[in-house]
């Protein structure tokens, strides 16, 4: 059966090979992006550029924040508030608990 399946899917072999190559490249790029040595090098380059006058202090701080956000996985430096309740879609109502229980009991749940 495996031989038959291999023969039937043979035309898709280049696609499978390309997919494997793309995944390997993506893994390598992600590893380099989050590598602490690369992040440290980028931060040192930013400091050097600020010392040489190529960047202002504000530009350096913004670039450093972007690098650190990439390291920590946040975006924009601002975390979303966790205690804010989510909003219900317009036109939906929430039934009171007692009515929900009666409704479920009648339906046999």
């Amino acid at each position: 059966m495996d031989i038959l399946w291999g023969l039937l899917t043979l035309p898709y072999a280049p696609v499978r090979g390309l997919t494997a190559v793309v995944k390997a490249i993506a893994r390598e790029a992600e590893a380099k992006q989050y590598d602490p040595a690369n992040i440290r090098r980028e931060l040192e380059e930013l400091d050097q550029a600020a010392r040489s006058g190529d960047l202002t202090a504000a530009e350096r701080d913004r670039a450093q924040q972007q690098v650190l956000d990439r390291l920590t996985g946040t975006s924009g430096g601002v975390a979303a508030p966790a205690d804010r309740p989510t909003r219900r879609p317009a036109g939906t109502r929430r039934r009171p608990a007692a009515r929900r229980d009666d409704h479920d009991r009648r339906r046999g749940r």
Side-chain angles (χ1 to χ4, degrees):
M1 184 66 181
D2 288 334
I3 294 173
L4 181 61
W5 182 253
L7 288 173
L8 289 174
T9 60
L10 190 60
Y12 296 108
V15 174
R16 287 192 306 260
L18 182 63
T19 302
V21 169
V22 168
K23 285 181 182 179
I25 291 171
R27 274 194 311 270
E28 185 64 28
E30 190 171 297
K32 284 185 178 183
Q33 183 177 10
Y34 295 112
D35 183 23
N38 286 336
I39 290 175
R40 182 180 188 139
R41 181 186 46 77
E42 287 181 37
L43 292 174
E44 289 172 354
E45 288 174 357
L46 288 171
D47 287 338
Q48 180 63 30
R51 278 193 296 263
S52 68
D54 294 338
L55 290 176
T56 64
E59 290 172 336
R60 184 198 67 201
D61 291 343
R62 193 172 346 161
Q64 282 180 342
Q65 188 62 49
Q66 288 175 348
V67 171
L68 294 174
D69 286 346
R70 191 178 72 215
L71 178 65
T72 59
T74 59
S75 62
V78 179
D83 59 341
R84 192 174 80 194
T86 58
R87 297 188 70 187
R88 298 180 74 77
T92 60
R93 291 186 337 174
R94 185 173 184 187
R95 290 186 290 164
R99 287 188 59 205
R100 262 196 318 266
D101 292 341
D102 291 342
H103 179 73
D104 291 344
R105 206 173 304 123
R106 276 184 259 137
R107 291 174 123 320
R109 292 183 190 166

